[in-house]
Amino acid sequence: GYSGGVGKGKGRRGRSKAQPSAAGHPGNGPVSISESSDVSDTLEEDMPAPPSPGPDLESVDGVQPELQRTQKESEIRKMYLVAEYLGNGNGHTLEDVLGPLPGSKTVFRNKHFILTCTIPPKGICSTPDKDDMRNKYRKFSLVPFVKEHLRLQIEMGGGKVYDHFEDIPKAKYKQCKLIAPHPSATAKYVQCLAVDVPAVSHEWIIECCRTLTFLDYKPFALPAGWSFLEERYIRWNCGRGVELRSTVNPFVGYCINIASLNKDFTEFWSRVCKMAGGTVRLIKAEADLTPNLSGFMLTDQEFPEDIKLRATRYGLQIVSTVWVVQSLIVGRVCQPDSHEKLTQI
């Protein structure tokens, strides 16, 4: 269940592919497809970060679980790798698998990062194909993902690693990168989608450490995610075309009424919707429903059914957290009736 774990044979192929070319750039390297803060209208200045969230916010309903959340969990992952890769006496070291620690404090100087990983999709293919945007089960990396080792690589290279999305100052969003082994819907990934902090494969960090050069991240960029409406991965960058997101702020001009009795659900998803440009209104009781409401109602299973029914009579469209994530992935508001998952609470 650990993110990035592969078999021995696959791991060796992954290492050979990750070696830089003579020009100092990745040869046949990894894919080349090209958590929550309330964005306000204030100037983007270095302000003190708000308190980090408790563990519940990263496991809120609607997101994938975050793995390797502690140093101990990451060390356990590393122990598995030692047994898996180095226990057969082939002469390889852990550095061969995960990449070296950089000997220079300038590789990632003044750069900002946040790390995320979750359970990889079931049935993933064994061979990466950087151009295969229509294969839901494609593999994005053959190199194991170990958070603590990546953190060491970044920090020893002079970079800054944030534990939670909330810790990132808004002024640093444009300088920050989300490091992950594959696209996902973790709390960090979803929030980075909402503020356009791009996701990049961890193989980029490894190659930068191997070459002691801050390489262009674009050949290592990860998609925004899988769109089941388009039946393809959508690239992170915005533009025209079926493979590109339409915009970073798909909820601009839309009102999203969030109905939940769960504080974490309300806090997390209201922030995500606001960061993506939406106007948010909270519904906690039947008295909060009025005939002049418009837009969508984002809710969960525990919210009273009679209030949901009344909301639909007022013309509100009931949507699930999947609707939010899918809208962020494609960069436009998905029509709730276009797929059952968008309204499946």
Side-chain angles (χ1 to χ4, degrees):
Y2 283 92
S3 181
V6 294
K8 294 179 184 177
K10 297 173 187 175
R12 284 193 290 271
R13 287 200 300 273
R15 289 195 297 275
S16 64
K17 285 190 174 186
Q19 294 298 324
S21 65
H25 294 283
N28 297 322
V31 294
S32 60
I33 57 174
S34 307
E35 237 164 32
S36 84
S37 176
D38 192 358
V39 174
S40 66
D41 295 327
T42 58
L43 292 175
E44 289 191 345
E45 298 175 349
D46 271 315
M47 301 172 62
S52 297
D56 290 342
L57 207 58
E58 287 188 357
S59 56
V60 68
D61 185 34
V63 301
Q64 290 181 286
E66 185 76 32
L67 297 186
Q68 300 183 42
R69 295 176 64 171
T70 65
Q71 183 175 354
K72 183 177 180 180
E73 289 178 7
S74 199
E75 287 298 322
I76 292 173
R77 172 68 179 134
K78 190 182 291 186
M79 289 168 59
Y80 274 103
L81 289 176
V82 169
E84 185 177 1
Y85 285 86
L86 314 179
N88 55 7
N90 57 15
H92 289 300
T93 66
L94 200 60
E95 186 175 291
D96 294 329
V97 181
L98 303 178
L101 298 176
S104 169
K105 292 285 288 184
T106 63
V107 179
F108 302 118
R109 186 169 58 191
N110 298 325
K111 308 301 179 185
H112 301 259
F113 304 88
I114 186 168
L115 312 177
T116 189
C117 68
T118 189
I119 302 167
K122 293 181 180 179
I124 54 178
C125 300
S126 59
T127 306
D129 182 351
K130 64 182 181 180
D131 297 318
D132 192 0
M133 297 292 282
R134 285 194 169 276
N135 183 1
K136 182 179 181 180
Y137 302 106
R138 57 169 290 189
K139 196 171 185 67
F140 286 88
S141 176
L142 294 172
V143 180
F145 186 99
V146 179
K147 271 188 187 177
E148 279 308 307
H149 189 80
L150 288 163
R151 175 188 289 273
L152 274 175
Q153 288 174 313
I154 292 169
E155 291 179 344
M156 290 185 69
K160 168 71 175 177
V161 179
Y162 298 98
D163 290 324
H164 304 283
F165 181 88
E166 288 84 351
D167 299 335
I168 309 172
K170 285 184 285 184
K172 302 299 182 184
Y173 285 168
K174 292 182 179 179
Q175 303 168 39
C176 192
K177 300 292 183 291
L178 172 67
I179 306 302
H182 52 77
S184 69
T186 63
K188 293 175 183 175
Y189 212 98
V190 169
Q191 291 171 104
C192 285
L193 268 174
V195 298
D196 200 26
V197 170
V200 187
S201 170
H202 62 297
E203 294 195 17
W204 174 55
I205 298 295
I206 295 171
E207 287 305 315
C208 289
C209 291
R210 282 180 174 149
T211 61
L212 292 180
T213 305
F214 189 72
L215 301 170
D216 181 10
Y217 77 89
K218 292 183 180 66
F220 300 88
L222 291 173
W226 175 264
S227 167
F228 50 68
L229 295 178
E230 303 290 342
E231 295 187 329
R232 65 165 64 243
Y233 281 104
I234 304 298
R235 299 183 192 273
W236 195 284
N237 46 312
C238 300
R240 295 183 178 181
V242 292
E243 290 188 356
L244 302 176
R245 301 169 74 195
S246 299
T247 179
V248 176
N249 306 117
F251 297 142
V252 169
Y254 289 91
C255 182
I256 301 163
N257 302 272
I258 299 184
S260 176
L261 303 178
N262 184 296
K263 179 179 178 292
D264 292 330
F265 182 96
T266 300
E267 179 182 349
F268 179 81
W269 290 107
S270 63
R271 288 180 177 179
V272 168
C273 292
K274 287 178 183 178
M275 289 190 292
T279 300
V280 171
R281 189 176 187 274
L282 302 183
I283 296 177
K284 298 180 180 180
E286 190 171 358
D288 296 325
L289 285 175
T290 57
N292 63 341
L293 290 180
S294 62
F296 305 92
M297 189 166 100
L298 174 64
T299 187
D300 55 19
Q301 286 184 330
E302 284 70 34
F303 201 69
E305 287 295 328
D306 56 332
I307 303 181
K308 293 178 187 177
L309 288 173
R310 184 175 176 182
T312 58
R313 287 198 293 268
Y314 283 154
L316 294 180
Q317 300 183 73
I318 307 294
V319 292
S320 66
T321 57
V322 175
W323 172 82
V324 176
V325 175
Q326 286 291 303
S327 296
L328 290 174
I329 288 173
V330 298
R332 65 179 183 275
V333 172
C334 298
Q335 291 302 314
D337 58 0
S338 58
H339 197 285
E340 62 179 7
K341 289 183 179 180
L342 302 178
T343 57
Q344 204 170 59
I345 308 301

